[in-house]
Amino acid sequence: MAFAVWKACMRSQVKELSIIVRSPSVLHKCITKRYIEFKFFPEKPLEEDETTSMNLCQAINNALYTTLINDSTAIVFGEDVAFGGVFRCTLDLQKRFGKDRVFNTPICEQGIVGFGIGCAVAGSTAVAEIQFADYIYPAFDQLVNEAAKYRYRSGNEFDCGKLTVRAPWGAVGHGSLYHSQSPESFFTHAAGLKIVIPRSPFKAKGLLLACIQDKDPCIFFEPKVLYRAAVEDVPVREYTLPLGKADILVTGDAVTLIAWGTQVHILIEVADMVKDQLKVQCEVIDLVTVNPWDMETVCNSVKKTGRAVVAHEAPLTGGFASEIAAVIQEECFLHLEAPVQRVTGFDTPFPHVFEPFYLPDKWRCFDAIKKTLAY
Amino acid sequence: MVLGKCRGLVNNIRARIGMIRRQICSVGTSSVNLKPNVDMPLFPGPQSQWTERLELIHPLSYNRIPIYRVMDREGCVLNPDEPQLEKDFVEKMYRTMILLNTMDTILYESQRQGRISFYMTSFGEEATLIGSAGAIASNDLVYAQYRETGVLMWRGFSVDQCINQCFGNCEDKGKGRQMPLHYGSKSHNFVTISSPLTTQLPQAVGSAYAYKLAKNGQCVITYFGEGAASEGDAHAAFNFASTLKCPVIFFCRNNGYAISTPTHEQYGGDGIAGHGPSYGITTIRVDGNDALAVYNATKVSREYVLAENRPVLIEAMTYRLGHHSTSDDSTAYRSVDEVKQRDSLDSPILRLRRYLEMKGWWNDSKECSWKEETRKNVLKSLARAEKVLKPEWKEMFRDVYYDMPSQLVKQMKFMEAHIEQYRDKYPVDKYMNPV
């Protein structure tokens, strides 16, 4: 079933290359267009599905609504979620499900995650929100020392698999140091956590529902620049998409491009540029789950193409591209025609006015591919 | 004002709850009727009055929270609140205290002999643990710090089970993955202990919230030391429990030291109980060496948290007679005399024994035979557990996730091949055979 959805999606992506930017205000549109440049590539679900057009926010909201209506133990909480959330992802949920199930917490991230773990231990489905991924670090101890290790250390007597932590993630055009971060690689070093990052409303709903229903604690990072900019048809029904499975979005034979979140759209666009200008076909992979990640899909692709470029917004050193590059060289050594390239943010804090120079945009990705091909 | 209310906690539950309700009404409302002609403060948040007197509020302008007790150091009941407990119940309390004390003594020595890697005793805190454990229901969920073995023992976790965990043998529920003393048992409703201090507090609040929604009539109790109360997670937990109205008992063991750090380097206020009212938490301070006082305080707290869906903070004052752990020599920061004096002057075990003797429920011969029996049983368990094989080494890879990810399967297979080749370099004979 999931495979069929995928086939349909992949076909649609190859065909549709239109820019979709829908913003709530002219100001937002200007800021988005001016500082952060990417095209959103929508996907088409199965034809028999009843769908409705949703942006990423609405898809998240819909997944939470679906969870709350189907699972009577489910609760949604965090800072400012009661009135709908600062990004409107929890809009109307409190009105529909009551103050006991959708509620504000005090401003304290370590409390939010610790509280969520406890809810999960006692059998509730806990969906916690951290307002920005940049503010998840106060909860680092609860996530890494507690959530990640709960099942292991108790010999499976206790677990907090019913916990999902959602957090807005990634660059937004003007977010500066503390509204732009991509902290996924800090968490990939903690065995026991699953880290999931969707690229679209369709993926967001299916993956968030999968995270919530998964038996392990999950961190679900939502690319906030896509909250309103990404709009596509999303099935109305409840559906889940597999965790730990990468998506091949564009098939090709010249070079494998790997990314997740917003960066996937940049690579799809770059693949098109490469096709036009360099006359070769790139294979574009959305990793989807950063940990545990889909080595098989990535390595099979690199064995076919012989070249790989990994791109992410987070800084280079210690970024997850390093892990991917190391595994590729270990598994695909005899197939590699060029060194694995990493196109990432620089090893600096995320700057305000310099954001256009900081991000691994399409030109930096294009250049890396060009060099890889010429190696 | 708040202190006055605390004093009446055990004496009159109903009146107390009524008073608390009134107090909540006066501080909890955010909507204010705006009357233009009435000169009252209109700021959001707790209601207060104007003052034209310039005055800094000094912490000593409040009375310190008093220490509730039922009996004196000789075991004589001073207080009309003496719980009317059955002979068997009090005897079980005392027997469990002796059992814990005996197991602690033997396991402490066995660590000194290198038979187990680590141990922490509960010397001096036996009444705190058993008094509180006896007052909660067996299906109430417990989140512990690490010095609460007595609570688990009260619930029937056996000496065998304790010692299996300390050895990390294949009968340990934790599969030998954690350090000694990190007990846990689903069937005893005792959440597995972890080393990071205070992380269990906000978790206990979350579990209490889940219980409240499930309307299962159960509450949650979480234990922690006065040192742990300095962690940010304690602040998080107190505040969440108060604002989200959770049926949780915060039970602080204030034993005077956090490893080497005395309390005057830990906090500058009125102990841990002093925090309670500022978070809007109903609070009591109790003599932790008085098992009956601890029992009363916990019992009334349990009734309160379930009736009101609100938290309670109990601070049990006690003294850590033992070293912090087997990795610590406490004479490096406190005198042997100090410890001896405390032990001789105020022993929680002796106090309950005197109470039992005064009731005519205990005597020297009972004492001798119980001590001898527990000593024999603990030694027998120790000898047995030592010989039990460790779990198979592949348990190292299991339970990281619900399902083992493919890269972890790969790492396990790698290790399998490696051990095959270097079999003589690893202690494989001490472990169960891989299946």
Side-chain angles (χ1 to χ4, degrees):
Chain A
M1 181 65 196
F3 178 68
V5 173
W6 272 114
K7 269 181 88 173
C9 296
M10 279 160 56
R11 270 203 305 277
S12 74
Q13 265 139 22
V14 179
K15 273 185 252 162
E16 292 193 35
L17 298 170
S18 59
I19 304 173
I20 296 190
V21 178
R22 283 189 202 171
S23 304
S25 68
V26 176
L27 180 69
H28 181 88
K29 194 171 178 177
C30 289
I31 290 168
T32 305
K33 285 200 83 173
R34 185 176 159 200
Y35 288 114
I36 186 160
E37 199 181 329
F38 70 95
K39 291 176 182 177
F40 172 69
F41 294 89
E43 343 186 338
K44 276 198 177 142
L46 287 175
E47 277 171 17
E48 64 260 33
D49 264 336
E50 186 198 340
T51 63
T52 181
S53 175
M54 293 183 199
N55 63 25
L56 192 79
C57 273
Q58 291 162 330
I60 301 289
N61 184 276
N62 187 254
L64 295 174
Y65 181 91
T66 307
T67 300
L68 287 161
I69 208 158
N70 291 342
D71 177 352
S72 64
T73 73
I75 51 174
V76 171
F77 55 92
E79 294 159 15
D80 304 301
V81 303
F83 87 112
V86 296
F87 287 106
R88 317 312 284 153
C89 288
T90 53
L91 198 65
D92 292 335
L93 295 179
Q94 190 183 62
K95 276 182 208 154
R96 170 67 180 78
F97 296 100
K99 288 179 178 176
D100 279 349
R101 299 188 62 202
V102 180
F103 50 93
N104 288 340
T105 66
I107 302 179
C108 181
E109 286 75 14
Q110 63 196 96
I112 292 170
V113 174
F115 177 86
I117 292 170
C119 292
V121 166
S124 279
T125 299
V127 188
E129 177 181 305
I130 299 293
Q131 204 159 69
F132 285 85
D134 312 59
Y135 306 130
I136 204 167
Y137 307 115
F140 198 76
D141 184 41
Q142 285 285 356
L143 285 164
V144 171
N145 273 332
E146 295 292 317
K149 298 168 174 55
Y150 232 96
R151 187 189 299 281
Y152 186 77
R153 73 185 185 205
S154 69
N156 205 16
E157 285 274 288
F158 294 93
D159 69 82
C160 61
K162 285 173 164 246
L163 171 70
T164 302
V165 177
R166 303 171 36 236
W169 166 97
V172 70
H174 51 278
S176 181
L177 284 83
Y178 308 111
H179 300 82
S180 308
Q181 292 182 44
S182 305
E184 62 273 17
S185 72
F186 286 112
F187 295 99
T188 58
H189 203 53
L193 295 175
K194 288 185 179 172
I195 318 296
V196 180
I197 308 175
R199 65 168 183 277
S200 68
F202 168 73
K203 291 292 287 184
K205 179 178 172 183
L207 288 167
L208 180 53
L209 284 168
C211 283
I212 291 169
Q213 291 165 22
D214 193 72
K215 287 171 174 165
D216 293 306
C218 297
I219 303 179
F220 189 75
F221 286 125
E222 300 162 4
K224 58 184 163 300
V225 75
L226 300 180
Y227 271 146
R228 286 143 197 269
V231 182
E232 67 188 359
D233 290 335
V234 175
V236 174
R237 67 181 175 91
E238 182 178 358
Y239 63 95
T240 59
L241 296 172
L243 304 183
K245 187 85 192 70
D247 298 336
I248 300 173
L249 299 175
V250 180
T251 51
D253 55 10
V255 56
T256 301
L257 310 182
I258 304 143
W260 49 92
T262 322
Q263 194 69 22
V264 170
H265 300 287
I266 291 178
L267 291 189
I268 295 173
E269 191 183 347
V270 170
D272 208 41
M273 286 162 62
V274 170
K275 193 178 173 187
D276 280 352
Q277 297 177 34
L278 307 176
K279 311 296 175 204
V280 296
Q281 186 65 52
C282 303
E283 181 143 300
V284 180
I285 296 179
D286 176 1
L287 200 62
V288 182
T289 305
V290 185
N291 197 42
W293 63 289
D294 187 352
M295 290 180 187
E296 200 184 343
T297 299
V298 169
C299 291
N300 285 343
S301 172
V302 177
K303 281 176 188 167
K304 180 176 72 175
T305 62
R307 290 177 163 86
V309 174
V310 193
H312 58 59
E313 290 177 6
L316 177 75
T317 304
F320 200 66
S322 310
E323 180 63 28
I324 296 171
V327 169
I328 289 174
Q329 73 85 18
E330 204 170 67
E331 298 292 324
C332 315
F333 187 71
L334 294 176
H335 300 268
L336 282 176
E337 305 286 345
V340 180
Q341 296 278 307
R342 292 174 291 160
V343 190
T344 69
F346 296 109
D347 288 343
T348 67
F350 198 108
H352 189 219
V353 301
F354 309 119
E355 182 168 325
F357 301 95
Y358 173 86
L359 283 172
D361 63 6
K362 60 182 171 185
W363 302 112
R364 279 177 56 202
C365 291
F366 178 80
D367 190 52
I369 295 165
K370 206 168 138 183
K371 284 177 178 156
T372 299
L373 289 166
Y375 188 82
Chain B
M1 185 190 78
V2 176
L3 302 189
K5 286 176 182 172
C6 284
R7 206 168 290 130
L9 184 67
V10 178
N11 294 340
N12 196 331
I13 309 166
R14 281 192 185 166
R16 178 166 167 67
I17 289 171
M19 283 160 87
I20 288 159
R21 281 213 181 105
R22 284 194 293 281
Q23 187 193 349
I24 289 159
C25 292
S26 68
V27 299
T29 47
S30 58
S31 59
V32 175
N33 290 324
L34 297 176
K35 292 174 191 158
N37 298 330
V38 180
D39 182 21
M40 58 184 281
L42 297 174
F43 308 109
Q47 279 299 289
S48 187
Q49 304 95 43
W50 298 120
T51 178
E52 281 72 41
R53 196 167 59 150
L54 176 61
E55 186 191 22
L56 304 177
I57 307 298
H58 193 275
L60 289 180
S61 64
Y62 294 97
N63 289 326
R64 298 217 159 208
I65 296 174
I67 303 165
Y68 168 75
R69 64 175 174 169
V70 170
M71 51 184 171
D72 67 12
R73 289 177 188 150
E74 303 306 314
C76 298
V77 172
L78 303 165
N79 185 317
D81 297 336
E82 178 189 355
Q84 302 301 313
L85 298 170
E86 300 281 320
K87 169 178 177 272
D88 289 352
F89 190 87
V90 188
E91 209 182 297
K92 184 190 167 191
M93 287 174 93
Y94 184 71
R95 284 178 188 271
T96 312
M97 283 161 74
I98 294 289
L99 176 63
L100 171 64
N101 190 276
T102 308
M103 187 178 82
D104 274 354
T105 307
I106 293 171
L107 289 187
Y108 181 83
E109 287 307 322
S110 76
Q111 193 283 335
R112 298 281 104 166
Q113 296 160 11
R115 294 163 77 180
I116 57 173
S117 64
F118 179 79
Y119 197 71
M120 293 172 116
T121 64
S122 302
F123 297 144
E125 300 182 45
E126 293 90 349
T128 301
L129 303 174
I130 306 302
S132 59
I136 49 174
S138 60
N139 62 354
D140 290 337
L141 191 64
V142 177
Y143 280 87
Q145 179 167 302
Y146 48 60
R147 214 182 293 285
E148 292 89 1
T149 309
V151 176
L152 201 44
M153 279 188 142
W154 175 265
R155 290 187 168 196
F157 196 75
S158 68
V159 171
D160 271 346
Q161 286 174 300
C162 287
I163 297 181
N164 286 335
Q165 197 283 332
C166 289
F167 277 102
N169 67 27
C170 68
E171 290 171 23
D172 168 28
K173 282 169 183 271
K175 305 183 186 173
R177 291 175 184 139
Q178 289 213 86
M179 283 173 79
L181 234 100
H182 291 58
Y183 306 119
S185 174
K186 186 94 182 167
S187 56
H188 295 89
N189 296 299
F190 191 97
V191 180
T192 304
I193 291 167
S194 73
S195 305
L197 285 180
T198 330
T199 48
Q200 79 278 17
L201 262 66
Q203 294 172 14
V205 176
S207 291
Y209 191 86
Y211 279 8
K212 180 175 82 170
L213 291 198
K215 296 188 171 71
N216 61 11
Q218 293 163 238
C219 71
V220 178
I221 185 167
T222 180
Y223 292 86
F224 57 107
E226 90 287 349
S230 296
E231 291 278 5
D233 274 333
H235 163 67
F238 296 155
N239 208 18
F240 276 54
S242 179
T243 56
L244 297 171
K245 301 178 179 60
C246 302
V248 59
I249 301 169
F250 295 111
F251 194 105
C252 178
R253 298 176 290 95
N254 188 338
N255 63 16
Y257 288 93
I259 308 187
S260 71
T261 306
T263 52
H264 65 85
E265 294 173 12
Q266 198 65 247
Y267 52 74
D270 182 18
I272 309 309
H275 296 321
S278 67
Y279 286 101
I281 296 178
T282 301
T283 300
I284 185 169
R285 178 174 281 150
V286 59
D287 179 352
N289 293 348
D290 178 346
L292 301 183
V294 175
Y295 175 87
N296 273 350
T298 313
K299 184 97 180 157
V300 80
S301 296
R302 183 178 189 274
E303 286 161 13
Y304 173 82
V305 300
L306 285 171
E308 299 292 307
N309 275 330
R310 286 186 175 274
V312 166
L313 171 61
I314 301 173
E315 183 183 27
M317 306 308 291
T318 179
Y319 185 81
R320 195 194 78 210
L321 284 176
H323 301 296
H324 164 69
S325 73
T326 48
S327 308
D328 171 56
D329 172 10
S330 67
T331 60
Y333 50 83
R334 63 179 185 184
S335 70
V336 179
D337 286 348
E338 178 189 316
V339 178
K340 276 187 182 156
Q341 196 194 17
R342 290 291 194 135
D343 193 16
S344 61
L345 206 65
D346 192 9
S347 158
I349 296 182
L350 198 57
R351 213 195 291 193
L352 191 63
R353 181 179 166 183
R354 283 174 179 156
Y355 175 82
L356 277 164
E357 284 172 345
M358 266 182 268
K359 291 267 181 188
W361 294 344
W362 197 256
N363 55 43
D364 283 346
S365 76
K366 269 184 157 182
E367 177 88 5
C368 284
S369 68
W370 178 243
K371 277 193 169 168
E372 188 51 27
E373 189 185 329
T374 54
R375 205 182 69 86
K376 274 187 190 159
N377 283 341
V378 173
L379 287 171
K380 210 168 88 186
S381 287
L382 186 71
R384 183 190 155 280
E386 209 167 13
K387 292 190 198 99
V388 177
L389 288 175
K390 304 273 185 270
E392 63 163 314
W393 62 262
K394 283 185 179 178
E395 285 296 351
M396 176 166 73
F397 293 94
R398 298 194 180 117
D399 303 327
V400 177
Y401 292 91
Y402 181 80
D403 292 312
M404 200 184 293
S406 58
Q407 46 262 61
L408 207 46
V409 173
K410 205 173 143 190
Q411 289 169 30
M412 191 170 79
K413 283 181 179 161
F414 158 82
M415 196 57 192
E416 196 168 21
H418 178 76
I419 289 175
E420 194 66 34
Q421 199 181 343
Y422 293 90
R423 202 171 178 81
D424 57 325
K425 310 293 184 208
Y426 293 91
V428 282
D429 297 343
K430 292 188 173 127
Y431 293 75
M432 298 275 281
N433 288 324
V435 279

